[in-house]
Structures are given as C-alpha cells and as structure tokens.
Amino acid sequence: MKLELIATATFGLEAVVKREIERLGYKILRSEDAKITFLGDERAVARSNLWLRSADRVLIKMAEFRALEFEDLFQQTKGIAWEEWIPPDGRFTVNGTSVKSKLHSVPACQSIVKKAIVSRLSEVYGMDTFPETGAAYTVKITLLKDRVTITLDTSGAGLHKRGYRVMDVAAPMKETLAAAMVQLSFWRAGRILVDPCCGSGTIPIEAAMIGRSIAPGISRKFAAEEWEAIPKDIWKEERKAAYAAIDYNTELEIYGSDIDGKAVAAARENALAAGVDDCIKFSRLDVKEFRADEPSGIIISNPPYGERIGEEKAIAAIYGAYNKFFKENPTWSLFLITTDKTVEQKIFGREADRRRKLYNGRLEVCYYQFHGERSPRV
C-alpha cells in the first residue's frame, strides 16, 4: 500500500530529519516548517519509527482539503476510507489545532471529525455502537489558513521517548535534539567526543547509539504495532534487521562529566539501559578541571541557560572554563546550545563559524558551532 507519510520535527531540525529519511531510502515529497512529507508503505511506518533519531512523530496523511464550513469538514472527513485502518473495536481519539482559519474552534472541529468517522464506520460495519476495546488510534486534524490536513499518528508516545531514560535530572534535554546536535557536528566514530555538562547523559548516549548504529526506537513500542492494517511480521522483520545492524566492533571514545554526582549516577544508569555503557566514560568533574589528553576533539554541550535562580555564577564559571580551555587547545571544536546571545564574545571573543536557531522544548535557543584549527591528527 502506497502511503504519504509525514515526519514531524522541531523547528530548525527539518534538514536533519530530511537527511535521515533519505538515508532510509524514501522519496521526499515536501519539506516544510516542522514537517517532512515522504512516500512509503506499511514497512516504512515501522522502519521510520525505529530509525528516525531527530523526528518527533511519524504520521500517515489521510487527506488534505479546504474547508470553510463545518458541513465541508464533515463530508470530506466522512469520505476518507477509515475502515482501511480502524477496525470495529478500534479506540480512536481526535486532537486538533486551528491557525488563521474560519473554523477556529478546535473543540468543535474535533467533535465534527469524530462524528464523521463514526458515521463512516457505522455505515461500513453496520454498527450503531462500537466497543472501543481494541488498539488505539489518534487522529490529528490541523487547520492552517482554511486548509485541513488529517493524519493518523503511528508513533504513540513521541519519538524522543527512547525507553532508556530510567533516571532523570532537572531540565533534561530531549533525545531527538541531542541526536540532532551530534549529527550537525563534525563528530564521527574514531574521534573524541566530550560533554563536560552531561546531566543525565543524553548527548553522550545519543552519540554512542549513532556510533554503534543502534536504532533509537529499538527498545520501545509504537501505537501502530497493534494495528491490524500493518502485519505483525513487518515489525518483527524490521526489529530483527535493526538488531543485526548494531556495530559492536567500532571503538568509540566518548566522555561525559558533570559537577553533580546525582546527574552522573543517572547518566550511568541511562547508558546501561541504552546498551552503550561500555563505550562512554562518565565521571564527576567540575568543568574547570577538564583537561585534554589528545591534540584534537569535539565538545558538544548543553550548559545551564540561566532560566533558574542562582545559575548565573555557574554559567559564568562554565564560560570562563571554556574560554581558558580553547585558548590552550585551539584544535578542539565546540558545539554548544544556549539561549544566551552573548556566548560568542564570552567564550571566544568572536562570532561562531555557524549558527542555527532551534527550540529546546518551548525555549528558543541557538546552536553555536566553533570550529577548531586543523590538526595533523584530524
């Protein structure tokens, strides 16, 4: 079955997600703000959920049309072949958003869509009531400038929920953003990667999973795994292939440290749950004490942003430590995400080589990239 699939993404990560989809072998149809549309099939649903590192969700596009009246919304929604996906016992909910559209009441739009789907399934199955005891289906309706897009969410929980976060710390970074930061850096297996503000270990763990070719969704379940429309064998085959793709032989040199002992303990537990504890060295260490043992390497960091009271001194100390470190180690590179728009001058006294506006949750941040001088070892 040919499907139009949508991988949603945080603003600023569209290019990263697009490259991931292309590496999986699927044709990109459109790249827009916060979503990439591509062609696939039932197997693509499984494969993309298992392998996309920086996407938020994988949706099946059911229809797209213009609607100015509730009757238009009802009839167009009813015309979709919902029975191809939702069985008689299916449990389905409708979520929605509306921006700059005549049909601006989200609750009303959700109610109309729900009624239209029930009406369609009632006629097809010859049933007046439905038990809703089966698999869960989340229908998403998005209205933008009177254009309606209706999708089915195949992921369930967001794709950032890998399943390895068994211990947490305050203000954890999303796994999808951490994976994107690694992919946007120069790091690759064979190079040193350090996160001196590792928190619960998200950046080192995501880097290790990339280096080991571990599918990010290999240890979790997805909503579409319970759907009758996608054969169970497809999920079994794709998971088997994902396990076979793991590279246990590549040597990785990844380090994570933090001044908070509880954070380091959490990082170790999470790395163990992710199956990468053997290739990351975690330690309790003040960033001022970090020293380079090699002539070149990469630091990828998500330091505190100063959003909480009392962080200003800690942030100033981190910036000062980085300033000293990179003066002494000019062949090292720094990839840092922060809300602080003065970080370039505070650490390097110059503009970053590259910048990229991103979002960490609801916070607008910038991903600063400072490239080190060339070294004979690079």
Side-chain angles (χ1 to χ4, degrees), residues 112-129:
I112 291 294
V113 168
K114 177 89 173 183
K115 289 177 182 177
I117 297 173
V118 169
S119 179
R120 170 82 183 207
L121 295 179
S122 294
E123 291 179 6
V124 171
Y125 295 130
M127 299 168 64
D128 294 326
T129 58

Side-chain angles (χ1 to χ4, degrees), residues 268-282:
R268 289 188 177 123
E269 288 298 317
N270 292 338
L272 180 63
V276 293
D277 56 301
D278 63 323
C279 52
I280 307 174
K281 294 181 177 66
F282 288 110

